[in-house]
Amino acid sequence: MSFDALTPLPVSFFDQDAATVAAQLLGRWLVRELPEERESPGGRSILEIVETEAYLGGPDRASHAWGGRRTPRNESLYLPPGHAYVYFIYGMHFCLNVVTGRPHPGAAVLFRAGEPLEGEEAMAARRGLGTPAGPGDLAGGPGKLCQALAVDRSQDGLALTRTEGGLWLAEGRPDHAAPLATGPRIGVAYAGEAAAWPLRFARPGNRHVSRPRL
DNA sequence: CGGAAGATCCACT
DNA sequence: GTGGATCTTCCGA
């Protein structure tokens, strides 16, 4: 059986520390496959992941699972590794995470930015833009990324290790020699000590990474 | 039951 | 660089 970049990453990949998963997800592919429908662009869209953040669960004040918090909203954080946690924020945006379950229950990785590899037309249409789009315009931020891939609460709890749901994480063609930059996470100044933890990961110099760039 | 805040984005100065 | 949009969720009273 030959290697296929579109093959889903195994559950075992996500059954590691959130920071490890966040770092190793760079260069992987986030694949969206939608049926062709009237008045909505379908087909296959692919983003190469260029920016992630790790959230550790209980001890991490920036995590939605901080202190063991468990509500209907974040219930998906307690699913097995490899499942999606999608939440609605600021009254108008969605953010996509994948559950890792380590180093603490409720740990996850947030997808912050991706570089379009396929399906730019469809992603631009969903973003309300034309093509060609500028660097970062399609998926240069967690809210943009979800809009580009048509991700909302209906993907909450989906297994991202399977293709059946139309949204999955694929092997891609990771360059293991590519540089990795780390820094504090975005928008978590309220989180006390945890605000400074270097849990943001990105490809330095990549134009699709969100601001401020690492 | 009310209020405040939020893992964001965009337009405007 | 700053502020407004927009609304769900959560916590304290």
mmCIF file with all atom_site columns, all heavy atoms in Angstrom, chain A residues 69 71-73 88 90-92, chain C residues 4-11:
data_model
loop_
_atom_site.group_PDB
_atom_site.id
_atom_site.type_symbol
_atom_site.label_atom_id
_atom_site.label_alt_id
_atom_site.label_comp_id
_atom_site.label_asym_id
_atom_site.label_entity_id
_atom_site.label_seq_id
_atom_site.pdbx_PDB_ins_code
_atom_site.Cartn_x
_atom_site.Cartn_y
_atom_site.Cartn_z
_atom_site.occupancy
_atom_site.B_iso_or_equiv
_atom_site.pdbx_formal_charge
_atom_site.auth_seq_id
_atom_site.auth_comp_id
_atom_site.auth_asym_id
_atom_site.auth_atom_id
_atom_site.pdbx_PDB_model_num
ATOM 1   N N     . ARG A 1 69 ? -13.587 22.417 34.158 1.00 0.00 ? 69 ARG A N     1
ATOM 2   C CA    . ARG A 1 69 ? -14.864 22.916 33.643 1.00 0.00 ? 69 ARG A CA    1
ATOM 3   C C     . ARG A 1 69 ? -15.434 21.979 32.580 1.00 0.00 ? 69 ARG A C     1
ATOM 4   O O     . ARG A 1 69 ? -14.729 21.566 31.668 1.00 0.00 ? 69 ARG A O     1
ATOM 5   C CB    . ARG A 1 69 ? -14.671 24.315 33.056 1.00 0.00 ? 69 ARG A CB    1
ATOM 6   C CG    . ARG A 1 69 ? -14.730 25.405 34.098 1.00 0.00 ? 69 ARG A CG    1
ATOM 7   C CD    . ARG A 1 69 ? -14.241 26.740 33.547 1.00 0.00 ? 69 ARG A CD    1
ATOM 8   N NE    . ARG A 1 69 ? -14.449 27.802 34.515 1.00 0.00 ? 69 ARG A NE    1
ATOM 9   C CZ    . ARG A 1 69 ? -13.808 27.884 35.667 1.00 0.00 ? 69 ARG A CZ    1
ATOM 10  N NH1   . ARG A 1 69 ? -12.913 26.968 35.978 1.00 0.00 ? 69 ARG A NH1   1
ATOM 11  N NH2   . ARG A 1 69 ? -14.058 28.874 36.507 1.00 0.00 ? 69 ARG A NH2   1
ATOM 12  N N     . THR A 1 71 ? -19.227 21.689 30.536 1.00 0.00 ? 71 THR A N     1
ATOM 13  C CA    . THR A 1 71 ? -20.576 22.193 30.301 1.00 0.00 ? 71 THR A CA    1
ATOM 14  C C     . THR A 1 71 ? -21.054 21.674 28.947 1.00 0.00 ? 71 THR A C     1
ATOM 15  O O     . THR A 1 71 ? -20.267 21.091 28.194 1.00 0.00 ? 71 THR A O     1
ATOM 16  C CB    . THR A 1 71 ? -20.583 23.732 30.264 1.00 0.00 ? 71 THR A CB    1
ATOM 17  O OG1   . THR A 1 71 ? -19.853 24.157 29.106 1.00 0.00 ? 71 THR A OG1   1
ATOM 18  C CG2   . THR A 1 71 ? -19.926 24.331 31.505 1.00 0.00 ? 71 THR A CG2   1
ATOM 19  N N     . PRO A 1 72 ? -22.314 21.880 28.607 1.00 0.00 ? 72 PRO A N     1
ATOM 20  C CA    . PRO A 1 72 ? -22.791 21.443 27.291 1.00 0.00 ? 72 PRO A CA    1
ATOM 21  C C     . PRO A 1 72 ? -21.956 22.027 26.156 1.00 0.00 ? 72 PRO A C     1
ATOM 22  O O     . PRO A 1 72 ? -21.731 21.380 25.129 1.00 0.00 ? 72 PRO A O     1
ATOM 23  C CB    . PRO A 1 72 ? -24.225 21.978 27.252 1.00 0.00 ? 72 PRO A CB    1
ATOM 24  C CG    . PRO A 1 72 ? -24.648 21.990 28.679 1.00 0.00 ? 72 PRO A CG    1
ATOM 25  C CD    . PRO A 1 72 ? -23.411 22.387 29.452 1.00 0.00 ? 72 PRO A CD    1
ATOM 26  N N     . ARG A 1 73 ? -21.483 23.243 26.343 1.00 0.00 ? 73 ARG A N     1
ATOM 27  C CA    . ARG A 1 73 ? -20.695 23.880 25.287 1.00 0.00 ? 73 ARG A CA    1
ATOM 28  C C     . ARG A 1 73 ? -19.390 23.138 25.001 1.00 0.00 ? 73 ARG A C     1
ATOM 29  O O     . ARG A 1 73 ? -19.049 22.909 23.858 1.00 0.00 ? 73 ARG A O     1
ATOM 30  C CB    . ARG A 1 73 ? -20.377 25.319 25.703 1.00 0.00 ? 73 ARG A CB    1
ATOM 31  C CG    . ARG A 1 73 ? -19.468 26.057 24.763 1.00 0.00 ? 73 ARG A CG    1
ATOM 32  C CD    . ARG A 1 73 ? -18.611 27.066 25.543 1.00 0.00 ? 73 ARG A CD    1
ATOM 33  N NE    . ARG A 1 73 ? -18.045 28.093 24.681 1.00 0.00 ? 73 ARG A NE    1
ATOM 34  C CZ    . ARG A 1 73 ? -17.072 28.917 25.077 1.00 0.00 ? 73 ARG A CZ    1
ATOM 35  N NH1   . ARG A 1 73 ? -16.593 28.835 26.302 1.00 0.00 ? 73 ARG A NH1   1
ATOM 36  N NH2   . ARG A 1 73 ? -16.585 29.811 24.265 1.00 0.00 ? 73 ARG A NH2   1
ATOM 37  N N     . PHE A 1 88 ? -18.338 28.697 19.386 1.00 0.00 ? 88 PHE A N     1
ATOM 38  C CA    . PHE A 1 88 ? -18.768 29.977 18.817 1.00 0.00 ? 88 PHE A CA    1
ATOM 39  C C     . PHE A 1 88 ? -18.245 31.100 19.713 1.00 0.00 ? 88 PHE A C     1
ATOM 40  O O     . PHE A 1 88 ? -18.346 31.026 20.938 1.00 0.00 ? 88 PHE A O     1
ATOM 41  C CB    . PHE A 1 88 ? -20.295 29.990 18.767 1.00 0.00 ? 88 PHE A CB    1
ATOM 42  C CG    . PHE A 1 88 ? -20.896 31.180 18.095 1.00 0.00 ? 88 PHE A CG    1
ATOM 43  C CD1   . PHE A 1 88 ? -20.567 31.515 16.790 1.00 0.00 ? 88 PHE A CD1   1
ATOM 44  C CD2   . PHE A 1 88 ? -21.823 31.965 18.762 1.00 0.00 ? 88 PHE A CD2   1
ATOM 45  C CE1   . PHE A 1 88 ? -21.150 32.605 16.166 1.00 0.00 ? 88 PHE A CE1   1
ATOM 46  C CE2   . PHE A 1 88 ? -22.410 33.062 18.147 1.00 0.00 ? 88 PHE A CE2   1
ATOM 47  C CZ    . PHE A 1 88 ? -22.065 33.376 16.844 1.00 0.00 ? 88 PHE A CZ    1
ATOM 48  N N     . TYR A 1 90 ? -17.388 35.531 20.255 1.00 0.00 ? 90 TYR A N     1
ATOM 49  C CA    . TYR A 1 90 ? -17.571 36.939 19.893 1.00 0.00 ? 90 TYR A CA    1
ATOM 50  C C     . TYR A 1 90 ? -18.831 37.174 19.066 1.00 0.00 ? 90 TYR A C     1
ATOM 51  O O     . TYR A 1 90 ? -18.883 38.121 18.288 1.00 0.00 ? 90 TYR A O     1
ATOM 52  C CB    . TYR A 1 90 ? -16.353 37.469 19.136 1.00 0.00 ? 90 TYR A CB    1
ATOM 53  C CG    . TYR A 1 90 ? -15.113 37.544 19.981 1.00 0.00 ? 90 TYR A CG    1
ATOM 54  C CD1   . TYR A 1 90 ? -13.956 36.870 19.616 1.00 0.00 ? 90 TYR A CD1   1
ATOM 55  C CD2   . TYR A 1 90 ? -15.096 38.284 21.157 1.00 0.00 ? 90 TYR A CD2   1
ATOM 56  C CE1   . TYR A 1 90 ? -12.817 36.935 20.400 1.00 0.00 ? 90 TYR A CE1   1
ATOM 57  C CE2   . TYR A 1 90 ? -13.961 38.346 21.953 1.00 0.00 ? 90 TYR A CE2   1
ATOM 58  C CZ    . TYR A 1 90 ? -12.827 37.674 21.568 1.00 0.00 ? 90 TYR A CZ    1
ATOM 59  O OH    . TYR A 1 90 ? -11.717 37.738 22.340 1.00 0.00 ? 90 TYR A OH    1
ATOM 60  N N     . GLY A 1 91 ? -19.806 36.286 19.221 1.00 0.00 ? 91 GLY A N     1
ATOM 61  C CA    . GLY A 1 91 ? -21.071 36.509 18.550 1.00 0.00 ? 91 GLY A CA    1
ATOM 62  C C     . GLY A 1 91 ? -21.065 36.299 17.055 1.00 0.00 ? 91 GLY A C     1
ATOM 63  O O     . GLY A 1 91 ? -22.102 36.497 16.414 1.00 0.00 ? 91 GLY A O     1
ATOM 64  N N     . MET A 1 92 ? -19.932 35.892 16.469 1.00 0.00 ? 92 MET A N     1
ATOM 65  C CA    . MET A 1 92 ? -19.908 35.758 15.008 1.00 0.00 ? 92 MET A CA    1
ATOM 66  C C     . MET A 1 92 ? -18.837 34.849 14.423 1.00 0.00 ? 92 MET A C     1
ATOM 67  O O     . MET A 1 92 ? -18.783 34.698 13.208 1.00 0.00 ? 92 MET A O     1
ATOM 68  C CB    . MET A 1 92 ? -19.782 37.137 14.367 1.00 0.00 ? 92 MET A CB    1
ATOM 69  C CG    . MET A 1 92 ? -18.576 37.906 14.817 1.00 0.00 ? 92 MET A CG    1
ATOM 70  S SD    . MET A 1 92 ? -18.522 39.560 14.109 1.00 0.00 ? 92 MET A SD    1
ATOM 71  C CE    . MET A 1 92 ? -19.508 40.449 15.303 1.00 0.00 ? 92 MET A CE    1
ATOM 72  P P     . DG  C 2 4  ? -16.646 52.122 20.215 1.00 0.00 ? 4  DG  C P     1
ATOM 73  O OP1   . DG  C 2 4  ? -17.187 53.468 20.482 1.00 0.00 ? 4  DG  C OP1   1
ATOM 74  O OP2   . DG  C 2 4  ? -16.389 51.174 21.317 1.00 0.00 ? 4  DG  C OP2   1
ATOM 75  O "O5'" . DG  C 2 4  ? -17.576 51.406 19.155 1.00 0.00 ? 4  DG  C "O5'" 1
ATOM 76  C "C5'" . DG  C 2 4  ? -17.490 51.779 17.775 1.00 0.00 ? 4  DG  C "C5'" 1
ATOM 77  C "C4'" . DG  C 2 4  ? -18.011 50.648 16.928 1.00 0.00 ? 4  DG  C "C4'" 1
ATOM 78  O "O4'" . DG  C 2 4  ? -16.972 49.662 16.716 1.00 0.00 ? 4  DG  C "O4'" 1
ATOM 79  C "C3'" . DG  C 2 4  ? -19.186 49.893 17.550 1.00 0.00 ? 4  DG  C "C3'" 1
ATOM 80  O "O3'" . DG  C 2 4  ? -20.164 49.624 16.548 1.00 0.00 ? 4  DG  C "O3'" 1
ATOM 81  C "C2'" . DG  C 2 4  ? -18.559 48.626 18.099 1.00 0.00 ? 4  DG  C "C2'" 1
ATOM 82  C "C1'" . DG  C 2 4  ? -17.424 48.377 17.118 1.00 0.00 ? 4  DG  C "C1'" 1
ATOM 83  N N9    . DG  C 2 4  ? -16.281 47.660 17.666 1.00 0.00 ? 4  DG  C N9    1
ATOM 84  C C8    . DG  C 2 4  ? -15.670 47.878 18.877 1.00 0.00 ? 4  DG  C C8    1
ATOM 85  N N7    . DG  C 2 4  ? -14.653 47.087 19.097 1.00 0.00 ? 4  DG  C N7    1
ATOM 86  C C5    . DG  C 2 4  ? -14.590 46.293 17.961 1.00 0.00 ? 4  DG  C C5    1
ATOM 87  C C6    . DG  C 2 4  ? -13.699 45.254 17.622 1.00 0.00 ? 4  DG  C C6    1
ATOM 88  O O6    . DG  C 2 4  ? -12.742 44.804 18.274 1.00 0.00 ? 4  DG  C O6    1
ATOM 89  N N1    . DG  C 2 4  ? -13.984 44.703 16.378 1.00 0.00 ? 4  DG  C N1    1
ATOM 90  C C2    . DG  C 2 4  ? -15.007 45.109 15.568 1.00 0.00 ? 4  DG  C C2    1
ATOM 91  N N2    . DG  C 2 4  ? -15.135 44.464 14.403 1.00 0.00 ? 4  DG  C N2    1
ATOM 92  N N3    . DG  C 2 4  ? -15.856 46.093 15.864 1.00 0.00 ? 4  DG  C N3    1
ATOM 93  C C4    . DG  C 2 4  ? -15.590 46.631 17.081 1.00 0.00 ? 4  DG  C C4    1
ATOM 94  P P     . DA  C 2 5  ? -21.545 49.044 16.967 1.00 0.00 ? 5  DA  C P     1
ATOM 95  O OP1   . DA  C 2 5  ? -22.567 49.841 16.275 1.00 0.00 ? 5  DA  C OP1   1
ATOM 96  O OP2   . DA  C 2 5  ? -21.606 48.841 18.417 1.00 0.00 ? 5  DA  C OP2   1
ATOM 97  O "O5'" . DA  C 2 5  ? -21.489 47.614 16.258 1.00 0.00 ? 5  DA  C "O5'" 1
ATOM 98  C "C5'" . DA  C 2 5  ? -21.055 47.533 14.909 1.00 0.00 ? 5  DA  C "C5'" 1
ATOM 99  C "C4'" . DA  C 2 5  ? -20.985 46.082 14.494 1.00 0.00 ? 5  DA  C "C4'" 1
ATOM 100 O "O4'" . DA  C 2 5  ? -19.784 45.475 15.017 1.00 0.00 ? 5  DA  C "O4'" 1
ATOM 101 C "C3'" . DA  C 2 5  ? -22.152 45.249 15.023 1.00 0.00 ? 5  DA  C "C3'" 1
ATOM 102 O "O3'" . DA  C 2 5  ? -22.595 44.376 14.001 1.00 0.00 ? 5  DA  C "O3'" 1
ATOM 103 C "C2'" . DA  C 2 5  ? -21.542 44.470 16.181 1.00 0.00 ? 5  DA  C "C2'" 1
ATOM 104 C "C1'" . DA  C 2 5  ? -20.098 44.301 15.737 1.00 0.00 ? 5  DA  C "C1'" 1
ATOM 105 N N9    . DA  C 2 5  ? -19.140 44.203 16.844 1.00 0.00 ? 5  DA  C N9    1
ATOM 106 C C8    . DA  C 2 5  ? -19.158 44.891 18.027 1.00 0.00 ? 5  DA  C C8    1
ATOM 107 N N7    . DA  C 2 5  ? -18.154 44.607 18.827 1.00 0.00 ? 5  DA  C N7    1
ATOM 108 C C5    . DA  C 2 5  ? -17.414 43.665 18.113 1.00 0.00 ? 5  DA  C C5    1
ATOM 109 C C6    . DA  C 2 5  ? -16.228 42.960 18.399 1.00 0.00 ? 5  DA  C C6    1
ATOM 110 N N6    . DA  C 2 5  ? -15.548 43.107 19.530 1.00 0.00 ? 5  DA  C N6    1
ATOM 111 N N1    . DA  C 2 5  ? -15.772 42.099 17.475 1.00 0.00 ? 5  DA  C N1    1
ATOM 112 C C2    . DA  C 2 5  ? -16.459 41.959 16.333 1.00 0.00 ? 5  DA  C C2    1
ATOM 113 N N3    . DA  C 2 5  ? -17.583 42.560 15.943 1.00 0.00 ? 5  DA  C N3    1
ATOM 114 C C4    . DA  C 2 5  ? -18.012 43.413 16.896 1.00 0.00 ? 5  DA  C C4    1
ATOM 115 P P     . DT  C 2 6  ? -24.096 43.901 14.018 1.00 0.00 ? 6  DT  C P     1
ATOM 116 O OP1   . DT  C 2 6  ? -24.420 43.490 12.641 1.00 0.00 ? 6  DT  C OP1   1
ATOM 117 O OP2   . DT  C 2 6  ? -24.934 44.897 14.727 1.00 0.00 ? 6  DT  C OP2   1
ATOM 118 O "O5'" . DT  C 2 6  ? -23.992 42.611 14.924 1.00 0.00 ? 6  DT  C "O5'" 1
ATOM 119 C "C5'" . DT  C 2 6  ? -23.257 41.500 14.451 1.00 0.00 ? 6  DT  C "C5'" 1
ATOM 120 C "C4'" . DT  C 2 6  ? -23.255 40.416 15.512 1.00 0.00 ? 6  DT  C "C4'" 1
ATOM 121 O "O4'" . DT  C 2 6  ? -22.226 40.699 16.483 1.00 0.00 ? 6  DT  C "O4'" 1
ATOM 122 C "C3'" . DT  C 2 6  ? -24.576 40.316 16.286 1.00 0.00 ? 6  DT  C "C3'" 1
ATOM 123 O "O3'" . DT  C 2 6  ? -24.932 38.962 16.432 1.00 0.00 ? 6  DT  C "O3'" 1
ATOM 124 C "C2'" . DT  C 2 6  ? -24.261 40.970 17.605 1.00 0.00 ? 6  DT  C "C2'" 1
ATOM 125 C "C1'" . DT  C 2 6  ? -22.802 40.587 17.774 1.00 0.00 ? 6  DT  C "C1'" 1
ATOM 126 N N1    . DT  C 2 6  ? -22.015 41.439 18.705 1.00 0.00 ? 6  DT  C N1    1
ATOM 127 C C2    . DT  C 2 6  ? -20.691 41.113 18.888 1.00 0.00 ? 6  DT  C C2    1
ATOM 128 O O2    . DT  C 2 6  ? -20.164 40.170 18.331 1.00 0.00 ? 6  DT  C O2    1
ATOM 129 N N3    . DT  C 2 6  ? -20.014 41.917 19.755 1.00 0.00 ? 6  DT  C N3    1
ATOM 130 C C4    . DT  C 2 6  ? -20.526 42.999 20.450 1.00 0.00 ? 6  DT  C C4    1
ATOM 131 O O4    . DT  C 2 6  ? -19.812 43.637 21.205 1.00 0.00 ? 6  DT  C O4    1
ATOM 132 C C5    . DT  C 2 6  ? -21.926 43.288 20.202 1.00 0.00 ? 6  DT  C C5    1
ATOM 133 C C7    . DT  C 2 6  ? -22.555 44.437 20.889 1.00 0.00 ? 6  DT  C C7    1
ATOM 134 C C6    . DT  C 2 6  ? -22.574 42.499 19.357 1.00 0.00 ? 6  DT  C C6    1
ATOM 135 P P     . DC  C 2 7  ? -26.527 38.632 16.617 1.00 0.00 ? 7  DC  C P     1
ATOM 136 O OP1   . DC  C 2 7  ? -27.023 38.019 15.378 1.00 0.00 ? 7  DC  C OP1   1
ATOM 137 O OP2   . DC  C 2 7  ? -27.206 39.789 17.229 1.00 0.00 ? 7  DC  C OP2   1
ATOM 138 O "O5'" . DC  C 2 7  ? -26.440 37.498 17.741 1.00 0.00 ? 7  DC  C "O5'" 1
ATOM 139 C "C5'" . DC  C 2 7  ? -25.517 36.427 17.577 1.00 0.00 ? 7  DC  C "C5'" 1
ATOM 140 C "C4'" . DC  C 2 7  ? -25.210 35.843 18.944 1.00 0.00 ? 7  DC  C "C4'" 1
ATOM 141 O "O4'" . DC  C 2 7  ? -24.169 36.597 19.583 1.00 0.00 ? 7  DC  C "O4'" 1
ATOM 142 C "C3'" . DC  C 2 7  ? -26.406 35.895 19.916 1.00 0.00 ? 7  DC  C "C3'" 1
ATOM 143 O "O3'" . DC  C 2 7  ? -26.366 34.750 20.745 1.00 0.00 ? 7  DC  C "O3'" 1
ATOM 144 C "C2'" . DC  C 2 7  ? -26.061 37.100 20.780 1.00 0.00 ? 7  DC  C "C2'" 1
ATOM 145 C "C1'" . DC  C 2 7  ? -24.572 36.851 20.900 1.00 0.00 ? 7  DC  C "C1'" 1
ATOM 146 N N1    . DC  C 2 7  ? -23.793 37.991 21.463 1.00 0.00 ? 7  DC  C N1    1
ATOM 147 C C2    . DC  C 2 7  ? -22.545 37.706 22.037 1.00 0.00 ? 7  DC  C C2    1
ATOM 148 O O2    . DC  C 2 7  ? -22.136 36.545 22.045 1.00 0.00 ? 7  DC  C O2    1
ATOM 149 N N3    . DC  C 2 7  ? -21.833 38.715 22.562 1.00 0.00 ? 7  DC  C N3    1
ATOM 150 C C4    . DC  C 2 7  ? -22.304 39.971 22.530 1.00 0.00 ? 7  DC  C C4    1
ATOM 151 N N4    . DC  C 2 7  ? -21.557 40.926 23.066 1.00 0.00 ? 7  DC  C N4    1
ATOM 152 C C5    . DC  C 2 7  ? -23.560 40.275 21.946 1.00 0.00 ? 7  DC  C C5    1
ATOM 153 C C6    . DC  C 2 7  ? -24.265 39.267 21.427 1.00 0.00 ? 7  DC  C C6    1
ATOM 154 P P     . DT  C 2 8  ? -27.390 33.532 20.448 1.00 0.00 ? 8  DT  C P     1
ATOM 155 O OP1   . DT  C 2 8  ? -27.559 33.390 19.009 1.00 0.00 ? 8  DT  C OP1   1
ATOM 156 O OP2   . DT  C 2 8  ? -28.545 33.764 21.330 1.00 0.00 ? 8  DT  C OP2   1
ATOM 157 O "O5'" . DT  C 2 8  ? -26.575 32.269 20.998 1.00 0.00 ? 8  DT  C "O5'" 1
ATOM 158 C "C5'" . DT  C 2 8  ? -25.309 31.979 20.436 1.00 0.00 ? 8  DT  C "C5'" 1
ATOM 159 C "C4'" . DT  C 2 8  ? -24.298 31.640 21.522 1.00 0.00 ? 8  DT  C "C4'" 1
ATOM 160 O "O4'" . DT  C 2 8  ? -23.750 32.831 22.108 1.00 0.00 ? 8  DT  C "O4'" 1
ATOM 161 C "C3'" . DT  C 2 8  ? -24.875 30.802 22.670 1.00 0.00 ? 8  DT  C "C3'" 1
ATOM 162 O "O3'" . DT  C 2 8  ? -24.028 29.688 22.853 1.00 0.00 ? 8  DT  C "O3'" 1
ATOM 163 C "C2'" . DT  C 2 8  ? -24.859 31.753 23.851 1.00 0.00 ? 8  DT  C "C2'" 1
ATOM 164 C "C1'" . DT  C 2 8  ? -23.727 32.707 23.517 1.00 0.00 ? 8  DT  C "C1'" 1
ATOM 165 N N1    . DT  C 2 8  ? -23.845 34.079 24.082 1.00 0.00 ? 8  DT  C N1    1
ATOM 166 C C2    . DT  C 2 8  ? -22.759 34.645 24.708 1.00 0.00 ? 8  DT  C C2    1
ATOM 167 O O2    . DT  C 2 8  ? -21.699 34.070 24.846 1.00 0.00 ? 8  DT  C O2    1
ATOM 168 N N3    . DT  C 2 8  ? -22.949 35.928 25.155 1.00 0.00 ? 8  DT  C N3    1
ATOM 169 C C4    . DT  C 2 8  ? -24.106 36.682 25.050 1.00 0.00 ? 8  DT  C C4    1
ATOM 170 O O4    . DT  C 2 8  ? -24.146 37.830 25.490 1.00 0.00 ? 8  DT  C O4    1
ATOM 171 C C5    . DT  C 2 8  ? -25.207 36.024 24.392 1.00 0.00 ? 8  DT  C C5    1
ATOM 172 C C7    . DT  C 2 8  ? -26.508 36.752 24.234 1.00 0.00 ? 8  DT  C C7    1
ATOM 173 C C6    . DT  C 2 8  ? -25.035 34.776 23.934 1.00 0.00 ? 8  DT  C C6    1
ATOM 174 P P     . DT  C 2 9  ? -24.438 28.532 23.832 1.00 0.00 ? 9  DT  C P     1
ATOM 175 O OP1   . DT  C 2 9  ? -23.965 27.287 23.217 1.00 0.00 ? 9  DT  C OP1   1
ATOM 176 O OP2   . DT  C 2 9  ? -25.845 28.694 24.227 1.00 0.00 ? 9  DT  C OP2   1
ATOM 177 O "O5'" . DT  C 2 9  ? -23.516 28.845 25.085 1.00 0.00 ? 9  DT  C "O5'" 1
ATOM 178 C "C5'" . DT  C 2 9  ? -22.139 29.121 24.865 1.00 0.00 ? 9  DT  C "C5'" 1
ATOM 179 C "C4'" . DT  C 2 9  ? -21.499 29.567 26.153 1.00 0.00 ? 9  DT  C "C4'" 1
ATOM 180 O "O4'" . DT  C 2 9  ? -21.785 30.955 26.387 1.00 0.00 ? 9  DT  C "O4'" 1
ATOM 181 C "C3'" . DT  C 2 9  ? -21.986 28.808 27.387 1.00 0.00 ? 9  DT  C "C3'" 1
ATOM 182 O "O3'" . DT  C 2 9  ? -20.856 28.322 28.082 1.00 0.00 ? 9  DT  C "O3'" 1
ATOM 183 C "C2'" . DT  C 2 9  ? -22.753 29.845 28.186 1.00 0.00 ? 9  DT  C "C2'" 1
ATOM 184 C "C1'" . DT  C 2 9  ? -22.113 31.151 27.740 1.00 0.00 ? 9  DT  C "C1'" 1
ATOM 185 N N1    . DT  C 2 9  ? -22.998 32.337 27.799 1.00 0.00 ? 9  DT  C N1    1
ATOM 186 C C2    . DT  C 2 9  ? -22.486 33.532 28.244 1.00 0.00 ? 9  DT  C C2    1
ATOM 187 O O2    . DT  C 2 9  ? -21.345 33.655 28.607 1.00 0.00 ? 9  DT  C O2    1
ATOM 188 N N3    . DT  C 2 9  ? -23.378 34.577 28.238 1.00 0.00 ? 9  DT  C N3    1
ATOM 189 C C4    . DT  C 2 9  ? -24.702 34.541 27.848 1.00 0.00 ? 9  DT  C C4    1
ATOM 190 O O4    . DT  C 2 9  ? -25.402 35.548 27.879 1.00 0.00 ? 9  DT  C O4    1
ATOM 191 C C5    . DT  C 2 9  ? -25.171 33.257 27.396 1.00 0.00 ? 9  DT  C C5    1
ATOM 192 C C7    . DT  C 2 9  ? -26.578 33.099 26.946 1.00 0.00 ? 9  DT  C C7    1
ATOM 193 C C6    . DT  C 2 9  ? -24.304 32.229 27.384 1.00 0.00 ? 9  DT  C C6    1
ATOM 194 P P     . DC  C 2 10 ? -21.036 27.278 29.253 1.00 0.00 ? 10 DC  C P     1
ATOM 195 O OP1   . DC  C 2 10 ? -20.013 26.230 29.061 1.00 0.00 ? 10 DC  C OP1   1
ATOM 196 O OP2   . DC  C 2 10 ? -22.452 26.910 29.395 1.00 0.00 ? 10 DC  C OP2   1
ATOM 197 O "O5'" . DC  C 2 10 ? -20.588 28.176 30.498 1.00 0.00 ? 10 DC  C "O5'" 1
ATOM 198 C "C5'" . DC  C 2 10 ? -19.455 29.043 30.342 1.00 0.00 ? 10 DC  C "C5'" 1
ATOM 199 C "C4'" . DC  C 2 10 ? -19.411 30.027 31.487 1.00 0.00 ? 10 DC  C "C4'" 1
ATOM 200 O "O4'" . DC  C 2 10 ? -20.343 31.103 31.242 1.00 0.00 ? 10 DC  C "O4'" 1
ATOM 201 C "C3'" . DC  C 2 10 ? -19.793 29.407 32.832 1.00 0.00 ? 10 DC  C "C3'" 1
ATOM 202 O "O3'" . DC  C 2 10 ? -18.843 29.766 33.806 1.00 0.00 ? 10 DC  C "O3'" 1
ATOM 203 C "C2'" . DC  C 2 10 ? -21.165 29.989 33.126 1.00 0.00 ? 10 DC  C "C2'" 1
ATOM 204 C "C1'" . DC  C 2 10 ? -21.113 31.328 32.396 1.00 0.00 ? 10 DC  C "C1'" 1
ATOM 205 N N1    . DC  C 2 10 ? -22.447 31.821 31.967 1.00 0.00 ? 10 DC  C N1    1
ATOM 206 C C2    . DC  C 2 10 ? -22.738 33.184 32.048 1.00 0.00 ? 10 DC  C C2    1
ATOM 207 O O2    . DC  C 2 10 ? -21.878 33.954 32.471 1.00 0.00 ? 10 DC  C O2    1
ATOM 208 N N3    . DC  C 2 10 ? -23.955 33.616 31.659 1.00 0.00 ? 10 DC  C N3    1
ATOM 209 C C4    . DC  C 2 10 ? -24.859 32.758 31.208 1.00 0.00 ? 10 DC  C C4    1
ATOM 210 N N4    . DC  C 2 10 ? -26.044 33.236 30.828 1.00 0.00 ? 10 DC  C N4    1
ATOM 211 C C5    . DC  C 2 10 ? -24.592 31.364 31.114 1.00 0.00 ? 10 DC  C C5    1
ATOM 212 C C6    . DC  C 2 10 ? -23.373 30.942 31.497 1.00 0.00 ? 10 DC  C C6    1
ATOM 213 P P     . DC  C 2 11 ? -18.721 28.869 35.131 1.00 0.00 ? 11 DC  C P     1
ATOM 214 O OP1   . DC  C 2 11 ? -17.431 28.173 35.172 1.00 0.00 ? 11 DC  C OP1   1
ATOM 215 O OP2   . DC  C 2 11 ? -19.959 28.108 35.319 1.00 0.00 ? 11 DC  C OP2   1
ATOM 216 O "O5'" . DC  C 2 11 ? -18.681 30.039 36.215 1.00 0.00 ? 11 DC  C "O5'" 1
ATOM 217 C "C5'" . DC  C 2 11 ? -17.999 31.270 35.910 1.00 0.00 ? 11 DC  C "C5'" 1
ATOM 218 C "C4'" . DC  C 2 11 ? -18.642 32.386 36.706 1.00 0.00 ? 11 DC  C "C4'" 1
ATOM 219 O "O4'" . DC  C 2 11 ? -19.874 32.790 36.060 1.00 0.00 ? 11 DC  C "O4'" 1
ATOM 220 C "C3'" . DC  C 2 11 ? -18.992 31.968 38.135 1.00 0.00 ? 11 DC  C "C3'" 1
ATOM 221 O "O3'" . DC  C 2 11 ? -18.572 32.969 39.036 1.00 0.00 ? 11 DC  C "O3'" 1
ATOM 222 C "C2'" . DC  C 2 11 ? -20.502 31.832 38.107 1.00 0.00 ? 11 DC  C "C2'" 1
ATOM 223 C "C1'" . DC  C 2 11 ? -20.905 32.858 37.038 1.00 0.00 ? 11 DC  C "C1'" 1
ATOM 224 N N1    . DC  C 2 11 ? -22.198 32.575 36.385 1.00 0.00 ? 11 DC  C N1    1
ATOM 225 C C2    . DC  C 2 11 ? -23.065 33.630 36.056 1.00 0.00 ? 11 DC  C C2    1
ATOM 226 O O2    . DC  C 2 11 ? -22.711 34.779 36.325 1.00 0.00 ? 11 DC  C O2    1
ATOM 227 N N3    . DC  C 2 11 ? -24.247 33.354 35.478 1.00 0.00 ? 11 DC  C N3    1
ATOM 228 C C4    . DC  C 2 11 ? -24.589 32.100 35.213 1.00 0.00 ? 11 DC  C C4    1
ATOM 229 N N4    . DC  C 2 11 ? -25.776 31.881 34.635 1.00 0.00 ? 11 DC  C N4    1
ATOM 230 C C5    . DC  C 2 11 ? -23.736 30.998 35.538 1.00 0.00 ? 11 DC  C C5    1
ATOM 231 C C6    . DC  C 2 11 ? -22.561 31.273 36.124 1.00 0.00 ? 11 DC  C C6    1
#
